[in-house]
Amino acid sequence: MMFVSLLAISSAVSARTSPNLVITTADVDSMRKAITVDGQFKDTFIANKASIDQQISEKITVPVPADGGGGYTHERHKKNYKLMYDAGIAFQLTQDDHYANFVRDMLLTYAELYPKLPLHPKRKMGKQNPGKLFWQSLNEAVWLVHTSQAYDLILSSLSSDEKAKIENGLFRPMVKFLSVDSPETFNKVHNHGTWTTAAVGMTGYVLGEPEWVEQALYGLDKSGTGGFLRQLDELFSPQGYYNEGPYYQRYALMPFVTFAKAIQTNQPERNIFQYRDGIVLKAIDTTIQLSYNQLFFPINDAIKDKGIDTIELVNGVAIAYGLTGDAGLLDIAQQQDQILLTGDGLKVAQALDKNLEQPYHFKSIAFGDGNDGKQGALVIMRQNVAGEQAVLFKPAAQGLGHGHFDKLTWQFYDKGEEIVSDYGAARFLNVEAKYGGRYLPENQTWAKQTIAHNTVVVDEETHFNANVEEGNANHPELLFFEKNGNVTISSARIDSAYDGVSLVRTMALINLPIQPNTEKTQSFVVDVFDVQSKAAHQYDLPVHYKGHLISTNFQLDTQLTSLSVLGKDNGYQHLWLKAQAQPKAGLSQITWLNENGRFYTNSSIMDGDSKVIFTQLGANDPLFNLRNENAFISRKAAAKNHTFVSVLEPHGEYNPSKEFTVSAVSKIETLSHQNNNNIDVVELGVTGGKRYLLAFNTAQSLKGNQVNNFEFNGTKYDFNGRFKLFEIKK
Amino acid sequence: MMFVSLLAISSAVSARTSPNLVITTADVDSMRKAITVDGQFKDTFIANKASIDQQISEKITVPVPADGGGGYTHERHKKNYKLMYDAGIAFQLTQDDHYANFVRDMLLTYAELYPKLPLHPKRKMGKQNPGKLFWQSLNEAVWLVHTSQAYDLILSSLSSDEKAKIENGLFRPMVKFLSVDSPETFNKVHNHGTWTTAAVGMTGYVLGEPEWVEQALYGLDKSGTGGFLRQLDELFSPQGYYNEGPYYQRYALMPFVTFAKAIQTNQPERNIFQYRDGIVLKAIDTTIQLSYNQLFFPINDAIKDKGIDTIELVNGVAIAYGLTGDAGLLDIAQQQDQILLTGDGLKVAQALDKNLEQPYHFKSIAFGDGNDGKQGALVIMRQNVAGEQAVLFKPAAQGLGHGHFDKLTWQFYDKGEEIVSDYGAARFLNVEAKYGGRYLPENQTWAKQTIAHNTVVVDEETHFNANVEEGNANHPELLFFEKNGNVTISSARIDSAYDGVSLVRTMALINLPIQPNTEKTQSFVVDVFDVQSKAAHQYDLPVHYKGHLISTNFQLDTQLTSLSVLGKDNGYQHLWLKAQAQPKAGLSQITWLNENGRFYTNSSIMDGDSKVIFTQLGANDPLFNLRNENAFISRKAAAKNHTFVSVLEPHGEYNPSKEFTVSAVSKIETLSHQNNNNIDVVELGVTGGKRYLLAFNTAQSLKGNQVNNFEFNGTKYDFNGRFKLFEIKK
């Protein structure tokens, strides 16, 4: 250990190889060759160079920090780090001193300014750790992650005197400010800590300060209770799931992959990409898996437009491809349509030029939540029946401050579109007129509330009474996740979301050959939601559907000339009551048409006492902040125990362009449910006469190969383990 | 004349060349060669052949007519004509008798059935002329247009006996039924008449019956008061505009181009494509011009998903390209992405294989309405400023039974999307659960009403009191349509939409270099709507906007906990009143964000007395038939004369994927308007200090180069003709 450190110091004192962080001298050799031959890499270089040439022709502007996020000085300092990084790349590729001199001059300007700076005037004490260039130190760390790379890229062009000025005026004071002067952030096992340790560690490599690297990896006191490795241990589940969800996962990814790459370059003996069974690569892959049709599943506080083309994942995919050569990653890179001017970016570009990409394989998988992977799970089920289907089922943990109170919710996607949807975050990112571009007040009053999701609401109250700490302290239990050729099925329970109420939900994505003489199958999503309590409650189960309501097989009592609000609080105050109905006992069906041209029918078993309520979002919304989305809510007004059973069925096609409409009507003719001794049996009968039984066992513990027996319509059936699908022969 | 007819008869008695309608023997020679070499034509042939092979392997099914539109026998007879046509093509290309025999056997089956058929059981007397195979004779004519071609394609394979059976059992009785037995439809100068004359004329060519051709061209009595040529004279404007609008224009196009092509093949001496200065080709081109981003402008009863890839226009473009070789048409053909297995289809396919396409040029143009082109106009203005803009301005005639009461309405399109929109038709085409797939009742109660459009509503009443005859009898007057490099401008008036109220609207699509030191321009749409009456009225001007409301520069009084309906009738009964405001006198601004990521600000001059009302569609809609679209309405409650002045401005970008938002705020700082002596002057002042004046003269008659004088802020200005844009120097 001592020996390695000494070596590192001595090599730093002697001439350091430059560049040697994310990009190496070997990379630079290949990149210089690549820009002489036609291909995507050269195209990208030419476009970037034109943009840089234009920008560096302008005067260097390093303003005294004054503005908060989005303001002029904030944006200018952000631009500056990008520009220095890009100019550094251009210097390495062209060997034109012009670019290096630009970076040098800007760094010297910063080195003049930085030592004189007090804490940022727009800092918010107590909430976020303050920076000097920026209002929060997080931005300062991001700045340093990029600027340390820019410095590394031009190091060979600098005189000793210039290096001394820059390092003493800028890098050393900034590292000190971010590390020893801000121990709470530096040691924090949290995304802000990751940016900070990455910034300090990377600067340590460039300046030849192995002590900084050690601190970055193991915490200020080098005990391992904080630092980058601890963050890798704690912030991801064993499968690489980050518990705030994919929207924040892709953001968190950036410092992990960047610093890991720099560690790999400088200290390959650390085997950082093998750390914790390859957690960094798993985190990259999991981020991809958590997308549908290029967009991330919008659980928790998520802006729905974010997808796999985000720059963080472009970096992640390039680095992962550089390490693994996995041709499936090229499929993703192709969809990202963005080439990085790095060594790994070159490998991706060359492989794409040669059309080496193979289809990336999206899987059905249960991502265990929490650092031990045992705090519930985020379940993704997929199949491909005339377009890709995905069910997201969420018996996951709370996900900290950005988590929503949506235990056991689900979403459904088909043929490229959201069908049963989640609102995501209520926010117009950076739109000043909309609450300064921050999370809107409606994010709290609507988007986080339970009724905004597709899960049971008890007595119009929100899970954990909307208390984040309580949410973080409790999580659902994944009972099982299993699959075979026709069925992917998962079940989970939680008893802590509401006092004295246990919630058990089982969801299955299945495909069945319901039509005679064809191998074509039909998709169904089966949903059995069992609620049990010793006291009577009101149970609401909403379906937030995307599309235009086509028909119901029961009569609607629609509000024609006035609308009133559905409830008082917990999100209900935002819902207009548009129509209600009390379907008679038996099969109740609601059909809508999505903009993808396909029909969707929700078939439910009604008891003759439950209501269906049709709502539109938008009440108590004085500034038109909310999208006016639609839902229907199955309501059981007063019951101790209740089981909601429903099946969602994609069908047919509406094609007004070609002027045809086919199969606009559901094929489900019968639907029944029974539960005996933890064994649920759902009967599904379709047009043409085929009948199926889906049987499953939701007991909390089950012997490996337990035999389950049940009787249905006088016939005896049995199955081993958790579930079985039966076709009933006539 | 006599000589030509005699010749035709004698050639028919002798062996007829086959095929010789839309496809000729020369075409067939080229097509047979083409399927031996790689290219789009061969690919299409292989795909088609596979589909036909599968279909003709099944039993021939010619059911006794029983069902109405959409029902089994209706759809089966439609399928049969397509199948016979496709099999006929396959026979010509492969020379495999198998295909000809299939067509022959099906035709013989029809020849057995047809003579025994009574009028169709589902006929609707009085409304539509009944058919025998179909409930209306229109479908019978469409069937014959296709089947006569199928017959022509296999003629060479038939024995005299087979021909006699088919002609005597099927074609002769059907022609008789459609012509001499149905004189009203046959002679009608209407789209139904076009299908019928085309069917009879094409069958006449195939069976060698020149008399039928003469009747098809000149009417049953050959006087020229009816027939195909009269239809070409009456149904289109001189520029080729069909007055029901583009949705019906593309449907009407099919028999025109098909029969014209058959005439050209059989009697080139008629110069049918030169008829009326080339009206058929003009009609094809106009249909293309009436689209934006591949979709037709949805005026009148229009299904919004219909666009240039419709089969009618695929035919039209192929035939037009065959005649003209215009490389711009290939651009459209490429977007249509559909190759026809005809001689013209082959020309298109080969040209596309060679990448000969050139950008199709979409123009700013005023299409005069009516057969003389003087019954108002449909005005399209286009420019390309960071994405294509289009203004549709509609001082057009009523457009018969499918016309909407929307005189002087407008629509705006930008960056691929609808921004200020028209509802189109209220209809879910062929969706049985939605009113049998027909026009919904809400088409009458909402979609056709004036308030459903972006034009002035007087006293909450609809133009012409929603009386179609009155609408057809009156039309707006186009005052002018002019353009220069920065400005496209048009003005129109109508005094007959409301008793005693004159409406004059001027719209301009302009682009201005408002920013210093850049050639980039900014788009604006200027709208000056002047209403004059001797009596006091309420004037409403709605803007049906597409997107999410971002901000207003005035305070909103929003309905928080209950919504009420805005009015009682004429479409107002379908509007929820969501919010209202009474902005103070001066500049009033409303900004929304479209899904194309761009912001749009409507800036208006308010008088301190007018209100702005925000609405959502959906009241009095018991079955959820309406889309819940949004509008704001400027309301002047009681005035004799009032001028609505507003400017629409696209700006900025919302990019949540890349996490940036730019220029979310309007650049307009001042807006004023004055009118003296028919000269309107709109002043526009923008951020950065530039000031512009748009001056125009809306007098009903104007001397060619009249000099107009006006004074603005103490300075004198003058201009010649209709309009001028001034930049005010400071």
Side-chain angles (χ1 to χ4, degrees):
Chain A
M1 190 68 177
M2 194 49 134
F3 179 67
V4 170
S5 296
L6 275 175
L7 241 186
I9 291 171
S10 68
S11 77
V13 170
S14 68
R16 180 181 141 83
T17 304
S18 154
N20 202 44
L21 278 173
V22 171
I23 297 173
T24 65
T25 49
D27 290 333
V28 168
D29 286 344
S30 321
M31 289 158 71
R32 283 181 190 157
K33 282 190 200 101
I35 59 170
T36 65
V37 293
D38 287 347
Q40 297 186 44
F41 193 83
K42 181 181 174 184
D43 295 344
T44 305
F45 166 71
I46 290 170
N48 269 34
K49 184 170 173 300
S51 162
I52 298 159
D53 288 347
Q54 191 270 315
Q55 290 179 76
I56 71 174
S57 70
E58 293 167 16
K59 197 163 67 72
I60 287 177
T61 309
V62 177
V64 173
D67 304 322
Y72 167 71
T73 68
H74 181 95
E75 293 301 319
R76 185 71 245 178
H77 290 298
K78 279 173 70 179
K79 264 190 197 161
N80 282 350
Y81 78 63
K82 283 181 193 148
L83 192 49
M84 286 192 282
Y85 176 84
D86 287 341
I89 298 278
F91 167 64
Q92 285 293 339
L93 293 187
T94 62
Q95 295 167 276
D96 178 344
D97 284 340
H98 170 66
Y99 297 106
N101 295 345
F102 173 83
V103 179
R104 176 197 66 201
D105 293 346
M106 189 176 271
L107 287 173
L108 285 167
T109 315
Y110 271 107
E112 281 286 313
L113 175 72
Y114 198 79
K116 299 174 204 155
L117 290 180
L119 290 183
H120 195 280
K122 286 285 165 64
R123 68 189 178 279
K124 294 185 184 163
M125 274 322 201
K127 276 199 85 171
Q128 308 284 8
N129 232 355
K132 290 183 171 182
L133 287 176
F134 299 94
W135 69 278
Q136 59 172 347
S137 69
L138 170 64
N139 298 99
E140 204 119 328
V142 173
W143 190 93
L144 184 55
V145 164
H146 290 85
T147 306
S148 61
Q149 293 180 72
Y151 182 60
D152 182 42
L153 288 162
I154 64 150
L155 208 54
S156 63
S157 76
L158 297 176
S159 71
S160 306
D161 187 44
E162 288 163 346
K163 282 190 219 174
K165 272 189 189 153
I166 292 167
E167 295 182 5
N168 294 331
L170 177 61
F171 289 117
R172 290 178 189 279
M174 191 179 269
V175 163
K176 179 167 176 293
F177 174 65
L178 289 174
S179 57
V180 292
D181 292 353
S182 311
E184 319 75 35
T185 303
F186 191 86
N187 287 330
K188 202 172 178 181
V189 180
H190 177 278
N191 176 245
H192 289 196
T194 311
W195 278 105
T196 307
T197 52
V200 169
M202 289 169 69
T203 311
Y205 283 127
V206 183
L207 267 63
E209 291 288 359
E211 181 72 2
W212 299 355
V213 176
E214 291 291 309
Q215 288 177 321
L217 291 170
Y218 298 105
L220 272 185
D221 64 1
K222 296 185 282 183
S223 70
T225 55
F228 188 72
L229 297 178
R230 184 59 180 256
Q231 289 156 6
L232 284 173
D233 291 337
E234 295 282 332
L235 294 178
F236 294 100
S237 78
Q239 289 157 295
Y241 174 69
Y242 185 81
N243 83 344
E244 292 184 293
Y247 178 79
Y248 279 92
Q249 170 145 0
R250 66 77 219 170
Y251 182 69
L253 208 57
M254 189 75 158
F256 278 113
V257 299
T258 307
F259 189 28
K261 177 76 184 180
I263 295 169
Q264 175 70 14
T265 301
N266 284 274
Q267 299 183 295
E269 68 279 10
R270 288 195 187 269
N271 289 319
I272 188 70
F273 284 107
Q274 281 75 52
Y275 188 78
R276 205 185 164 202
D277 201 20
I279 193 70
V280 174
L281 289 174
K282 284 180 180 171
I284 295 168
D285 191 61
T286 295
T287 312
I288 301 169
Q289 289 287 346
L290 292 176
S291 68
Y292 177 85
N293 192 17
Q294 308 199 0
L295 296 178
F296 296 126
F297 291 116
I299 56 170
N300 299 332
D301 282 348
I303 306 286
K304 286 189 161 188
D305 313 67
K306 270 283 181 191
I308 57 169
D309 64 345
T310 181
I311 185 64
E312 295 89 351
L313 198 53
V314 172
N315 268 285
V317 165
I319 287 173
Y321 179 74
L323 285 162
T324 65
D326 176 350
L329 291 169
L330 296 173
D331 180 5
I332 303 302
Q334 190 169 49
Q335 295 176 58
Q336 291 173 331
D337 195 21
Q338 206 175 330
I339 296 297
L340 293 180
L341 295 179
T342 65
D344 291 323
L346 173 59
K347 287 179 192 162
V348 169
Q350 289 177 330
L352 288 178
D353 285 343
K354 290 180 197 150
N355 300 312
L356 297 181
E357 66 276 7
Q358 293 291 326
Y360 178 85
H361 182 49
F362 285 98
K363 290 177 283 207
S364 292
I365 189 163
F367 293 99
D369 202 352
N371 64 338
D372 58 357
K374 292 175 181 168
Q375 300 168 34
L378 183 70
V379 176
I380 311 294
M381 311 183 193
R382 300 188 190 252
Q383 65 188 21
N384 196 320
V385 177
E388 287 168 18
Q389 286 87 50
V391 169
L392 177 144
F393 173 42
K394 189 172 181 252
Q398 182 66 24
L400 310 177
H402 289 299
H404 285 195
F405 299 97
D406 61 355
K407 304 307 102 179
L408 313 190
T409 188
W410 71 300
Q411 301 167 26
F412 182 62
Y413 298 80
D414 184 38
K415 211 180 157 193
E417 297 292 335
E418 294 179 298
I419 308 302
V420 174
S421 76
D422 193 298
Y423 193 87
R427 183 179 191 185
F428 290 86
L429 197 71
N430 296 336
V431 178
E432 186 63 31
K434 287 295 193 199
Y435 207 68
R438 301 187 299 280
Y439 286 104
L440 293 161
E442 290 78 9
N443 195 55
Q444 190 63 42
T445 61
W446 168 254
K448 285 188 172 182
Q449 302 294 324
T450 304
I451 188 63
H453 303 85
N454 304 294
T455 188
V456 163
V457 186
V458 177
D459 297 334
E460 304 190 19
E461 288 175 355
T462 279
H463 294 166
F464 308 115
N465 287 308
N467 182 310
V468 177
E469 286 70 36
E470 211 182 311
N472 285 331
N474 293 279
H475 59 79
E477 175 190 359
L478 180 69
L479 296 172
F480 61 88
F481 167 77
E482 300 200 354
K483 53 190 168 177
N484 64 24
N486 291 97
V487 181
T488 307
I489 185 168
S490 181
S491 188
R493 76 178 289 145
I494 184 165
D495 298 343
S496 53
Y498 295 105
D499 283 345
V501 182
S502 85
L503 308 173
V504 178
R505 189 174 213 171
T506 305
M507 303 212 72
L509 176 63
I510 66 184
N511 59 88
L512 298 175
I514 63 168
Q515 285 178 291
N517 308 323
T518 168
E519 288 180 6
K520 278 189 203 162
T521 60
Q522 164 69 45
S523 286
F524 298 98
V525 184
V526 178
D527 178 18
V528 179
F529 202 137
D530 185 52
V531 191
Q532 303 220 358
S533 175
K534 287 185 179 146
H537 297 282
Q538 173 184 287
Y539 300 126
D540 282 353
L541 179 55
V543 173
H544 296 272
Y545 68 96
K546 284 279 198 179
H548 195 114
L549 188 70
I550 293 294
S551 62
T552 56
N553 75 340
F554 48 85
Q555 185 134 13
L556 289 179
D557 177 15
T558 307
Q559 298 302 113
L560 297 179
T561 58
S562 73
L563 290 187
S564 57
V565 72
L566 183 61
K568 290 226 153 98
D569 208 350
N570 303 321
Y572 282 77
Q573 76 278 19
H574 289 302
L575 292 173
W576 297 117
L577 169 59
K578 289 192 73 174
Q580 47 192 323
Q582 188 165 340
K584 57 178 193 285
L587 181 65
S588 148
Q589 295 190 307
I590 299 169
T591 300
W592 67 93
L593 171 62
N594 186 269
E595 65 180 20
N596 67 9
R598 194 169 277 178
F599 297 91
Y600 296 86
T601 294
N602 178 282
S603 298
S604 302
I605 302 173
M606 298 302 282
D607 59 8
D609 170 60
S610 296
K611 277 187 177 176
V612 181
I613 297 166
F614 289 79
T615 65
Q616 188 184 66
L617 186 58
N620 280 296
D621 181 19
L623 298 175
F624 291 66
N625 282 344
L626 291 167
R627 300 190 302 269
N628 302 135
E629 302 192 341
N630 300 305
F632 53 87
I633 302 173
S634 297
R635 170 170 290 181
K636 180 71 181 176
K640 292 179 177 173
N641 301 334
H642 186 71
T643 307
F644 295 93
V645 178
S646 58
V647 174
L648 181 65
E649 170 196 7
H651 55 93
E653 182 175 356
Y654 176 63
N655 192 329
S657 166
K658 304 269 181 234
E659 292 194 6
F660 67 83
T661 298
V662 292
S663 301
V665 176
S666 164
K667 290 216 164 44
I668 295 183
E669 290 187 343
T670 51
L671 183 62
S672 78
H673 171 254
Q674 67 179 42
N675 177 293
N676 286 309
N677 200 16
N678 277 326
I679 300 173
D680 288 79
V681 180
V682 177
E683 176 206 21
L684 187 67
V686 300
T687 311
K690 290 206 185 185
R691 293 279 176 283
Y692 300 90
L693 298 182
L694 178 66
F696 53 89
N697 186 328
T698 60
Q700 277 181 281
S701 63
L702 199 66
K703 274 176 246 147
N705 214 13
Q706 177 174 324
V707 179
N708 304 278
N709 299 291
F710 69 92
E711 196 173 306
F712 182 82
N713 273 358
T715 306
K716 288 184 175 171
Y717 297 84
D718 64 72
F719 64 101
N720 289 347
R722 283 296 186 178
F723 81 99
K724 186 164 181 181
L725 178 76
F726 301 86
E727 183 174 351
I728 308 183
K729 306 295 178 186
K730 278 180 292 193
Chain B
M1 191 67 176
M2 193 49 131
F3 179 66
V4 169
S5 293
L6 274 176
L7 241 188
I9 288 171
S10 69
S11 79
V13 169
S14 68
R16 181 182 141 82
T17 304
S18 153
N20 202 44
L21 279 172
V22 172
I23 297 174
T24 65
T25 50
D27 289 334
V28 167
D29 285 345
S30 321
M31 289 157 72
R32 284 182 190 157
K33 281 191 200 100
I35 60 171
T36 66
V37 294
D38 287 346
Q40 296 186 42
F41 193 83
K42 181 180 173 185
D43 294 345
T44 306
F45 166 70
I46 290 170
N48 270 33
K49 185 169 172 299
S51 161
I52 298 159
D53 288 346
Q54 191 267 316
Q55 291 179 76
I56 71 172
S57 70
E58 294 167 15
K59 199 162 67 74
I60 287 177
T61 309
V62 177
V64 173
D67 304 322
Y72 167 72
T73 69
H74 182 96
E75 293 302 318
R76 184 69 246 178
H77 290 299
K78 280 173 70 179
K79 262 190 199 162
N80 282 350
Y81 80 62
K82 283 181 192 146
L83 192 49
M84 284 191 283
Y85 175 85
D86 286 341
I89 299 278
F91 167 65
Q92 285 294 338
L93 293 186
T94 61
Q95 295 167 276
D96 179 342
D97 285 339
H98 170 66
Y99 297 106
N101 295 345
F102 173 83
V103 179
R104 177 197 65 199
D105 293 346
M106 189 177 271
L107 287 173
L108 286 168
T109 315
Y110 271 106
E112 281 286 312
L113 175 73
Y114 198 78
K116 300 174 204 155
L117 290 180
L119 290 182
H120 194 281
K122 286 285 166 64
R123 67 191 179 276
K124 295 186 185 164
M125 275 320 202
K127 277 199 84 173
Q128 309 282 6
N129 232 354
K132 290 183 172 182
L133 287 176
F134 298 94
W135 69 278
Q136 59 172 346
S137 69
L138 171 63
N139 298 100
E140 203 117 329
V142 174
W143 190 91
L144 185 55
V145 164
H146 291 84
T147 306
S148 62
Q149 293 181 71
Y151 183 59
D152 183 41
L153 288 162
I154 65 148
L155 207 54
S156 63
S157 76
L158 298 176
S159 70
S160 305
D161 187 43
E162 286 162 348
K163 283 189 218 173
K165 273 188 189 155
I166 292 168
E167 295 182 6
N168 294 330
L170 177 63
F171 288 117
R172 290 180 188 279
M174 192 179 268
V175 163
K176 178 167 178 291
F177 174 66
L178 290 173
S179 58
V180 292
D181 293 352
S182 311
E184 320 76 36
T185 304
F186 191 86
N187 286 330
K188 202 171 179 183
V189 180
H190 179 276
N191 176 244
H192 289 197
T194 311
W195 279 105
T196 306
T197 52
V200 168
M202 289 170 70
T203 311
Y205 283 127
V206 183
L207 268 62
E209 291 288 359
E211 181 71 3
W212 299 356
V213 175
E214 290 293 308
Q215 288 177 321
L217 291 169
Y218 296 106
L220 271 185
D221 64 359
K222 297 184 280 182
S223 69
T225 54
F228 189 72
L229 297 178
R230 184 60 179 257
Q231 289 156 6
L232 284 172
D233 290 338
E234 295 283 332
L235 294 178
F236 293 101
S237 78
Q239 289 158 295
Y241 175 68
Y242 184 81
N243 83 345
E244 291 184 293
Y247 178 78
Y248 279 94
Q249 170 146 359
R250 64 78 217 170
Y251 182 70
L253 208 57
M254 191 75 159
F256 279 112
V257 299
T258 306
F259 189 27
K261 177 76 184 180
I263 295 168
Q264 174 70 13
T265 300
N266 283 274
Q267 299 184 295
E269 67 278 10
R270 289 196 186 269
N271 289 319
I272 188 70
F273 283 107
Q274 282 75 53
Y275 188 79
R276 206 185 164 202
D277 202 19
I279 193 69
V280 175
L281 289 173
K282 283 179 181 170
I284 295 169
D285 191 60
T286 295
T287 313
I288 301 169
Q289 289 287 345
L290 292 176
S291 68
Y292 177 85
N293 193 17
Q294 309 198 0
L295 295 179
F296 295 127
F297 290 117
I299 56 170
N300 299 333
D301 283 346
I303 304 286
K304 286 188 161 187
D305 314 66
K306 270 282 181 192
I308 58 169
D309 64 346
T310 182
I311 184 64
E312 295 89 353
L313 198 54
V314 173
N315 268 284
V317 165
I319 286 173
Y321 179 73
L323 285 161
T324 65
D326 176 350
L329 291 170
L330 296 173
D331 181 4
I332 303 301
Q334 191 168 50
Q335 294 176 59
Q336 290 174 332
D337 196 20
Q338 204 174 331
I339 296 298
L340 292 179
L341 296 179
T342 65
D344 292 324
L346 173 59
K347 287 179 191 162
V348 169
Q350 289 176 331
L352 288 177
D353 284 343
K354 288 179 198 151
N355 301 311
L356 296 181
E357 65 278 7
Q358 293 291 325
Y360 178 86
H361 182 48
F362 285 97
K363 290 178 283 209
S364 292
I365 190 164
F367 292 99
D369 202 350
N371 64 338
D372 59 356
K374 290 174 180 168
Q375 299 168 34
L378 182 70
V379 176
I380 310 295
M381 312 184 192
R382 300 188 190 253
Q383 65 187 22
N384 195 321
V385 176
E388 287 167 20
Q389 286 87 50
V391 170
L392 176 144
F393 173 41
K394 190 172 181 252
Q398 182 67 24
L400 310 177
H402 289 299
H404 285 195
F405 299 97
D406 61 354
K407 304 308 102 180
L408 312 189
T409 189
W410 71 303
Q411 300 168 26
F412 182 62
Y413 298 80
D414 183 38
K415 212 182 158 192
E417 297 292 333
E418 294 179 298
I419 308 303
V420 174
S421 74
D422 193 298
Y423 193 86
R427 183 180 191 185
F428 290 87
L429 196 71
N430 297 337
V431 178
E432 186 61 32
K434 287 295 195 199
Y435 208 66
R438 302 188 298 280
Y439 286 105
L440 292 161
E442 290 78 9
N443 195 55
Q444 190 62 43
T445 61
W446 168 254
K448 285 189 172 182
Q449 302 294 325
T450 304
I451 188 63
H453 303 86
N454 304 294
T455 188
V456 162
V457 185
V458 177
D459 297 334
E460 304 190 19
E461 287 173 356
T462 279
H463 294 166
F464 308 115
N465 287 308
N467 181 311
V468 178
E469 287 70 34
E470 212 183 310
N472 284 332
N474 293 279
H475 59 78
E477 176 189 357
L478 181 69
L479 296 171
F480 61 88
F481 167 77
E482 301 201 353
K483 52 190 169 178
N484 65 24
N486 290 99
V487 180
T488 307
I489 184 168
S490 182
S491 188
R493 76 177 289 145
I494 185 166
D495 298 344
S496 54
Y498 295 104
D499 282 347
V501 182
S502 86
L503 308 173
V504 178
R505 190 175 211 170
T506 305
M507 303 212 71
L509 176 63
I510 66 184
N511 58 87
L512 298 174
I514 62 169
Q515 284 179 289
N517 308 322
T518 168
E519 289 180 7
K520 277 189 205 163
T521 60
Q522 164 69 44
S523 286
F524 298 99
V525 183
V526 179
D527 177 17
V528 179
F529 202 137
D530 185 51
V531 190
Q532 303 219 358
S533 175
K534 287 185 177 144
H537 296 282
Q538 173 184 289
Y539 301 125
D540 282 353
L541 180 56
V543 173
H544 296 272
Y545 69 96
K546 283 280 198 178
H548 195 115
L549 188 70
I550 293 295
S551 62
T552 58
N553 76 341
F554 48 84
Q555 185 133 12
L556 290 179
D557 178 15
T558 306
Q559 298 302 113
L560 298 178
T561 57
S562 72
L563 290 187
S564 57
V565 71
L566 183 61
K568 290 224 153 94
D569 208 350
N570 303 320
Y572 282 77
Q573 76 279 18
H574 288 303
L575 292 173
W576 297 117
L577 169 58
K578 288 192 73 173
Q580 47 191 324
Q582 188 164 340
K584 57 179 193 284
L587 181 64
S588 147
Q589 295 190 307
I590 299 169
T591 300
W592 66 94
L593 171 62
N594 185 269
E595 66 179 20
N596 67 9
R598 194 168 275 179
F599 297 91
Y600 296 87
T601 294
N602 177 282
S603 297
S604 302
I605 303 174
M606 297 304 282
D607 59 8
D609 170 59
S610 297
K611 276 187 179 176
V612 181
I613 298 167
F614 289 80
T615 64
Q616 188 183 65
L617 185 58
N620 281 296
D621 180 19
L623 298 174
F624 290 65
N625 283 343
L626 292 167
R627 300 191 301 268
N628 301 135
E629 303 193 338
N630 300 304
F632 54 86
I633 301 172
S634 297
R635 169 170 290 180
K636 180 71 179 176
K640 292 178 178 174
N641 301 334
H642 186 71
T643 307
F644 295 93
V645 178
S646 56
V647 174
L648 181 65
E649 169 197 10
H651 55 93
E653 182 176 356
Y654 176 64
N655 192 328
S657 165
K658 305 268 181 235
E659 292 194 6
F660 67 83
T661 298
V662 293
S663 301
V665 177
S666 164
K667 291 217 161 46
I668 294 183
E669 291 187 342
T670 53
L671 182 63
S672 79
H673 171 253
Q674 68 179 41
N675 177 295
N676 287 309
N677 200 16
N678 277 326
I679 299 172
D680 289 79
V681 180
V682 177
E683 175 206 20
L684 187 67
V686 301
T687 311
K690 290 206 185 185
R691 292 281 177 280
Y692 300 89
L693 297 181
L694 178 67
F696 53 89
N697 186 328
T698 60
Q700 277 182 281
S701 63
L702 200 67
K703 277 177 244 146
N705 213 12
Q706 178 175 321
V707 178
N708 304 280
N709 299 290
F710 68 93
E711 197 173 306
F712 182 84
N713 273 357
T715 306
K716 288 183 175 171
Y717 297 84
D718 64 72
F719 63 101
N720 290 346
R722 283 295 188 180
F723 80 99
K724 186 163 181 180
L725 179 76
F726 301 86
E727 182 173 350
I728 310 182
K729 307 293 180 188
K730 277 179 291 194

